[in-house]
Each structure stands twice: as structure tokens, then as C-alpha cells.
Amino acid sequence: MSFVHHALAGLDREEVSLGTSFAGLSWPVPLYVNAMTGGSPRTGAINRDLAIAARETGCPSRRGR
């Protein structure tokens, strides 16, 4: 016996939206990218790559300081 999970059974995938809003801001995905802490060159590179990925996908992010 096996169980096949169908979370969106009977729905057209094109009709499902992952968009969300919070505090008056809306974005296309329910994700948020926050900067890492540390301050080393490695974490700086990771923060940069996360910021680029967020920008290119429309995911909201917080700029590192």
C-alpha cells in the first residue's frame, strides 16, 4: 500500500499564486533574504551573491550594512 499526497489536487497550477504581502509591501514569493553577519570577506561574498539572487528573482531582501 502507498499513499500519494496531492496538496493541490484538482487545481490548475497556473491559477496558484505564491505572491504575498506584509506591512504594505507585496512580492511574488513568500520568501525574504536577510544579510548574514560576520564581516569576513567570505560572508561579504555570500551576502553579495544572496543580494544578486534576490534582485534577479524579485525576492525581497535586506541590504547588508
Side-chain angles (χ1 to χ4, degrees), residues 3-60:
F3 175 75
V4 179
H5 181 67
H6 294 284
L8 300 176
L11 294 178
D12 183 357
R13 192 169 64 174
E14 298 298 321
E15 294 178 12
V16 176
S17 171
L18 297 178
T20 191
S21 62
F22 178 75
L25 300 173
S26 297
W27 55 90
V29 293
L31 302 170
Y32 176 83
V33 176
N34 197 0
M36 295 175 53
T37 60
S40 73
R42 178 148 169 76
T43 57
I46 292 170
N47 284 338
R48 182 195 65 240
D49 292 344
L50 288 171
I52 291 168
R55 181 189 67 218
E56 291 181 1
T57 61
C59 182

